[in-house]
Structures are given as C-alpha cells and as structure tokens.
Amino acid sequence: MNEINTNIEEGAVDRTSLPSVVIRFAGDSGDGIQITGSRFTDTTALAGNDLATFPDFPAEIRAPIGTTFGVSAFQINFGARHIETHGDDPNVLVALNPAALKVNIGLLRNGGSVIVDTGSFSTRNLKKAGYENNPLEDGSLDNFTVLEIDISKNVLQAVKEFGLSQKEGLRCKNFWILGLVYWIYGRNRQETVAWLKKKFAKRPDIADANIAALNAGHIYGEAAELGGSIGLFSVAPAEMKPGVYRTITGGEALAWGLVAGAELAGLDIFFGSYPITPASPILHSLAKMKQFGVKTFQAEDEIAAICSAIGASYAGSLGMTSSSGPGIALKGEAIGLAISTELPLIIVNSQRAGPSTGLPTKTEQSDLYQSVYGRNGDAPLVVLAAHGPGDCFDTAIEACRLATKYMTPVMLLTDGYIGNAAEPWLIPSMKDKETFKVEHTTEAEGFLPFKRDPETLARNWAVPGTPGLEHRIGGIEKEEDTGHISYEPENHQRMTDIRRNKILGIANDIPAAKPEQGNEGGKLAVVGWGSTFGPISRAVNTKIAQNKDVAHIHIKNLWPLPANLGKLLAGYDKVIVPEMNDGQLKTVLRDQYLLDAQSITKVTGQPFKIAEIEAAIDAALES
C-alpha cells in the first residue's frame, strides 16, 4: 500500500510554469520542519533545479510547545534560472500552528499563498501564540490565498492502521504536508520513500507510517483539485554546467575542503574542537572521515581544543580547530601562542550574532574585528572568508595552502547562514587541484628552528624526535634564528617586524581584487565579504540591467587585503559596504586606505534581502 503512486508522472496535469519559487515551511521545533525542508531540497535538486536554502531555527533547546519562541522555519528558493539567495519574500508559507503563522506571515509577499493546519488552531494554541482573535476568521489574511486543511485529522487517519499513539501519529504530519507540496510542484516521492526506509530501517513501522502520510498528502492534493484554489505549478530544470552534482551545506563543504587541503599538502589532519552552535557540524562531518586519516578530538573546553591542535602542528600534522565568536574569544591566548611559535593552524570561525551568547542560532558577520585585531600584542594572522556553501570547499583548501607555506595560523570565516544553508555543488576532480606538498626540515647540520625562507619569511618546520633537530618552543619571545628565549629589546623589535612583514607579504601571493560584476572604476562600488555575496550579486545584476553605473567587489582575503584593492576602490566616486555588523569592514577600509566608504548595516540575525541592497544602491546613486 505504501508504494502507491510514488512513481506517478507528476507532469500529467495542467500546471503553470514558473521561473522560480520561494517556499517557507514553519512549525513548532518538534514538527520536523528541518527534515521537511531537507527532503524537499534533495528532491528538488534531483529534479534539476538550482536552489538555495535557509534553515532558521530557534535558540531554545525546547521552548514550550505552541509558543513563538519555539518556531522553526526552513526557506528554499528553487528555479529554472541561476539561484544565489534563499529568496526575499516567500511565495508560499506552510504554517503548521498559529505561532508559526504569527512569526512568519510578515515575510510572505502580498498575494502569496498560505497553507495552514486548522487542526492546530485551538483556542489554547491561539492564546499561546499571542492571538486575541483567530486570524483565519478575522480578515487579517485577506491579502493572501489561504488553503485551510485539518492536517492533524488527515494524518491520524492515514496512519491509523499502524497502531501508533496520537502523539506518534502527529509526528508524521510533516511528511503529510510534504506529500501535498510535492503534488503542488510536481515532485516525485520516490527519493523520500527510499530515505525513510533507510532512516528507519530498525523501525519499519515508523517508516511505513511516514510513507503512508506522505502518500496521503499527495493523494489529497490530487483529489482536492487545488488548481482552482492555490494552483498547480512546474519549475523546469536549470541550465547548469555538466557534471556530477550533490546538495551540500557549508559545514560539509568546509570539512571536505579541509581534508582535501591536507591531502594536497601531504599531511595528516588533527581536528581539536569543542561543540558550539553553529560550528559543530564541521566536527560531526570530519568525525565520519577516518578513512582519510582524519583524527578528531572533542575536548573538554575551547582552550584544550586549540592547544591540542597546536600540539599536533608542532608534531608535524596540520592542526585545526573551530568555534564561533564566544569560543574564539576563549581561544585568543592560544592563537597568540600559535602566532608566536609560528606554526600552521586552521581556525574556523562560524560566526553568529553576539556579543557574548547573543543569538546563538542566528547569523551575523560581527567577528571581523576579532579576527583581524582581537589578540594581545601585535599578533597578525591570515583571515579568509567564504562567500557561500560551495565556496567553503575552495576557501578551506586555500587556508591550508597559506598556513603551511607561511607557517602561520589562518582564520577562516563563515557564518550561521553559510554553514547551515545548502546548494547544488559540482563535485570537483582533485586531479585539477595543484598540490603544495610540505617538506619538513630534516637536515641537522646547521639547523636553526627560526631560520627563514628569504622569500616567504616562513621558518623551518622540524618534527620533534628527529635526531639533531631538538629545539625549544613556547610563548616567550624567541631569539631570531636560534629560537632561544630572549628579552633583548632589539630582538623583540626584529621578531615583531618579521611576523608582521611575513603576513603582509602574503598580499603578493593572493589574487588581485577585481569586480565580480561591473566596470573597474565608475560611480559606485558595492563592496562585500562573506555571505552577503548572493544578495549583492543579484542586486547589482539588476541595477546593471537598468543601465546603472555600479560594480560588485567581493573580498575573500580580509587580511592581508589584496595588494591592488586600495587603487581599485579609489577609482569609484562612491563606495558602500553592506555587512551584517555595525560597520567593521568599512572601518578596516578607512584604516588602510583613508576611504570614505558608507556602511549599510544589518544585525537582525537574518541575511540581507536583495531588495535592501537594491534600495541602498539607488540611494547612493541618487545622493
């Protein structure tokens, strides 16, 4: 019975063709919203659409059921064209309870569609959500097309034969609504059926119940003649570069990129980390990759995590650690130790809204000051920023290259949006990647631990236990060349200068800055970094199509900055800097180039909308 219609020809009915659609699923954090979104994402990827997602979940581990504090959401933008963001305003909102409706209805575009579970709109739930009147009855939703279904009743009927309790049965309603949405957008259910069977292989009754719910929602859509209400739609496959694709999150891409980078360097990985939102998925992914020689260590605290990674680098492996802003603060002194000892180290910072605990599950870009300046003493290191889930892979490889070539820690910045978001990723061939094999020092004659390569200023990297290469290491200032402890003022000046010049010299080993779109020089440059790439790119593309003189410059190397960046920015009449903080990159650019850039700031815990960047461009050009 559970196999019925899973291979139905989804295009056999009249559907309206759309170039792209934005759907937002929302419900209580116990409703399986993130699973619903991820299943729809994988099915949509298999259908050949380009896509971008935004999981948006609460910080509370378990807020009271039915309250606005516990609302979880998942937004997906998919289309037949190139997709760069999760979409500004949803076309469709699926709200599984009143709280989900209250929190998310303001995001829905005027005239959009709402699918609600009327079975959850009890007086008690309405009150917990903060409604004085039932929004389904008071006219407040008149600007939208509303599809009211008692999903709770329908799903309990669908799973009745499996003998589940009411509580267990209602847990299947996310798959009931998924089946309905699959019907509306012509999606095949077979991949989801296969996933459920694998996921619940040890509980086939649960798998069968969820499959029954999925099919029941789909059959409801077929029987309800939705074409006359909210409509039936199709989205054609996108034109994409040929190759093998898979859906990937930023956290997964980072893990794979770190492994690839270590492989290209010919080194083993040691990853010491402490769990923290939203950085933990990197540890989870790497822990599953022992076949590549990856060693993972979940430490008792942040300081132990980074110190273990530094120890691994001292022993000849490539030490890595990760955290979010609060954990990076705790790692601060140890980062200084890695800078002082001049050992390669990868530090991944998955930024979240701060300060302190801040908004743990919400996204922000407010750790730039911390990354560039946030240590005691003069302690420079390399700072890179990935701009999207797929880009995390290449950025991680570059972090490994720079760390090993220049014997320095590298801070790799992502954020909650990038780390949790997903997109189709063209799986690369490692044969196309240039190796950068590390050669540990082995020659004992004339060995000096802090003797440097005259071009890179990187010191020797000797593996402990190698005969004749014994040397002292530690956080106290070291004598030039010998590495002995030194309190000499002139030596400290020289060592400080060398550490600074080594990092600044990397500007000659990174790509020159150039516009992603638009001309070199003109009226306006929109300068971004990190996850602002998508909305800036779409906004600038729109304005160029309107014959506006605007360019998009995105900075991946945040320290040192590209050697030509100052000259490039000087060629524009005006520069605006959209960033999810209170103007940190703008301050860095003013410091380096005396550039009178204008900040476009946002610290709501939500990514920029394309429309917000477009409005900022128009305002800058008009003024």
Side-chain angles (χ1 to χ4, degrees):
M1 177 184 125
N2 298 325
E3 303 295 337
I4 292 176
N5 286 334
T6 54
N7 287 306
I8 190 171
E9 176 54 52
E10 307 289 8
V13 297
D14 290 333
R15 298 178 179 276
T16 301
S17 180
L18 298 174
S20 64
V21 179
V22 181
I23 302 177
R24 189 172 182 89
F25 298 94
D28 193 79
S29 56
D31 284 336
I33 294 299
Q34 301 306 318
I35 291 176
T36 305
S38 64
R39 291 300 92 218
F40 191 86
T41 297
D42 285 356
T43 301
T44 296
L46 287 171
N49 298 130
D50 198 4
L51 61 90
T53 71
F54 178 42
D56 190 10
F57 37 82
E60 287 75 8
I61 294 175
R62 197 69 179 95
I65 295 173
T67 64
T68 55
F69 303 106
V71 172
S72 179
F74 188 102
Q75 187 162 311
I76 177 171
N77 181 11
F78 61 100
R81 58 174 175 77
H82 181 49
I83 300 294
E84 293 189 278
T85 78
H86 66 285
D88 278 12
D89 307 311
N91 303 94
V92 180
L93 170 64
V94 178
L96 295 185
N97 65 8
L101 181 68
K102 189 175 186 65
V103 169
N104 292 284
I105 191 63
L107 302 175
L108 190 64
R109 68 181 60 189
N110 193 36
S113 298
V114 185
I115 303 173
V116 295
D117 175 15
T118 58
S120 68
F121 276 66
S122 63
T123 301
R124 183 168 180 266
N125 283 346
L126 287 166
K127 184 176 180 180
K128 284 198 291 185
Y131 279 116
E132 295 183 5
N133 301 302
N134 190 335
L136 304 180
E137 301 171 352
D138 64 7
S140 60
L141 301 178
D142 287 350
N143 289 333
F144 309 106
T145 300
V146 182
L147 179 61
E148 300 181 26
I149 309 172
D150 192 339
I151 297 172
S152 298
K153 178 181 177 181
N154 278 282
V155 75
L156 288 175
Q157 183 64 35
V159 303
K160 185 178 180 180
E161 67 178 277
F162 300 100
L164 303 181
S165 67
Q166 179 169 318
K167 183 177 181 181
E168 286 180 317
L170 287 175
R171 286 177 177 167
C172 300
K173 70 178 182 178
N174 60 325
F175 283 96
W176 194 98
I177 195 66
L178 188 59
L180 176 65
V181 177
Y182 279 176
W183 170 250
I184 293 172
Y185 291 96
R187 291 289 178 260
N188 192 293
R189 288 163 286 156
Q190 189 57 50
E191 186 275 337
T192 303
V193 170
W195 181 86
L196 282 166
K197 289 181 176 181
K198 181 179 180 181
K199 175 75 173 177
F200 297 105
K202 296 181 180 180
R203 289 289 308 273
D205 56 329
I206 299 297
D208 289 343
N210 279 301
I211 293 169
L214 179 76
N215 289 334
H218 196 275
I219 292 168
Y220 181 94
E222 293 179 61
E225 298 184 358
L226 299 179
S229 55
I230 65 171
L232 300 177
F233 306 97
S234 65
V235 180
E239 291 187 10
M240 302 177 76
K241 186 178 179 181
V244 179
Y245 286 79
R246 65 153 291 158
T247 303
I248 194 171
T249 66
E252 291 170 333
L254 260 175
W256 296 345
L258 293 173
V259 171
E263 178 72 19
L264 293 170
L267 298 174
D268 292 329
I269 287 180
F270 179 91
F271 190 84
S273 188
Y274 179 76
I276 184 172
T277 301
S280 297
I282 304 169
L283 173 61
H284 300 162
S285 295
L286 285 172
K288 301 174 184 176
M289 303 174 77
K290 294 181 176 64
Q291 69 271 30
F292 297 108
V294 177
K295 296 180 178 65
T296 54
F297 169 55
Q298 181 176 314
E300 67 270 25
D301 57 44
E302 297 282 8
I303 298 172
I306 187 171
C307 286
S308 66
I310 294 172
S313 288
Y314 178 56
S317 296
L318 183 50
M320 302 177 180
T321 189
S322 74
S323 191
S324 299
I328 297 298
L330 292 169
K331 294 178 190 288
E333 183 179 1
I335 294 174
L337 175 63
I339 292 169
S340 175
T341 56
E342 298 186 57
L343 287 166
L345 179 71
I346 308 298
I347 308 153
V348 179
N349 182 354
S350 300
Q351 300 166 96
R352 71 190 202 189
S356 187
T357 307
L359 306 176
T361 60
K362 306 302 179 183
T363 194
E364 206 165 87
Q365 293 179 293
S366 52
D367 295 347
L368 181 57
Y369 287 163
Q370 182 186 43
S371 302
V372 175
Y373 305 121
R375 293 160 294 281
N376 66 295
D378 291 297
L381 49 64
V382 177
V383 182
L384 305 177
H387 67 63
D391 184 58
C392 286
F393 181 82
D394 292 320
T395 306
I397 291 176
E398 177 67 356
C400 294
R401 184 185 76 87
L402 294 177
T404 54
K405 182 175 181 178
Y406 292 92
M407 294 291 286
T408 178
V410 175
M411 185 84 75
L412 197 168
L413 298 176
T414 70
D415 56 45
Y417 180 30
I418 292 176
N420 294 316
E423 65 182 16
W425 181 59
L426 177 61
I427 299 175
S429 170
M430 291 304 294
K431 295 178 181 178
D432 299 330
K433 303 292 184 182
E434 185 176 348
T435 61
F436 40 90
K437 294 290 183 182
V438 169
E439 303 250 348
H440 292 113
T441 301
T442 57
E443 181 59 50
E445 185 176 350
F447 169 69
L448 293 170
F450 280 82
K451 183 178 181 181
R452 301 176 184 278
D453 181 295
E455 181 179 346
T456 66
L457 299 183
R459 76 169 182 90
N460 288 322
W461 189 4
V463 177
T466 305
L469 302 187
E470 298 84 358
H471 60 283
R472 181 181 284 112
I473 201 81
I476 298 177
E477 183 63 281
K478 287 149 281 294
E479 185 179 70
E480 188 177 7
D481 291 341
T482 68
H484 298 325
I485 290 174
S486 173
Y487 288 92
E488 292 298 320
E490 294 80 5
N491 178 77
H492 182 54
Q493 180 73 59
R494 287 195 302 272
M495 293 296 282
T496 299
D497 293 347
I498 289 170
R499 289 190 291 262
R500 177 199 64 212
N501 293 338
K502 178 175 71 169
I503 300 302
L504 293 180
I506 295 173
N508 300 315
D509 191 21
I510 58 178
K514 62 180 181 180
E516 304 287 337
Q517 298 164 287
N519 300 318
E520 292 193 10
K523 290 185 178 180
L524 178 66
V526 185
V527 178
W529 66 279
S531 63
T532 59
F533 182 92
I536 293 176
S537 178
R538 295 296 301 177
V540 170
N541 183 65
T542 298
K543 293 305 169 182
I544 289 175
Q546 297 172 359
N547 295 318
K548 301 290 180 68
D549 187 1
V550 59
H552 173 200
I553 298 169
H554 217 76
I555 305 175
K556 186 169 188 170
N557 298 87
L558 290 164
W559 199 264
L561 294 162
N564 71 321
L565 182 61
K567 182 178 180 180
L568 176 63
L569 296 179
Y572 297 93
D573 296 341
K574 182 173 288 190
V575 174
I576 62 174
V577 186
E579 49 186 333
M580 292 186 291
N581 57 49
D582 202 30
Q584 296 186 18
L585 178 60
K586 175 232 20 181
T587 303
V588 172
L589 295 177
R590 282 185 176 179
D591 166 51
Q592 293 298 300
Y593 309 123
L594 297 178
L595 180 72
D596 189 20
Q598 176 187 347
S599 282
I600 310 298
T601 65
K602 183 175 183 177
V603 286
T604 63
Q606 300 291 316
F608 273 103
K609 292 184 176 182
I610 300 168
E612 292 171 333
I613 307 294
E614 289 178 347
I617 291 172
D618 289 338
L621 290 173
E622 290 170 3
S623 64

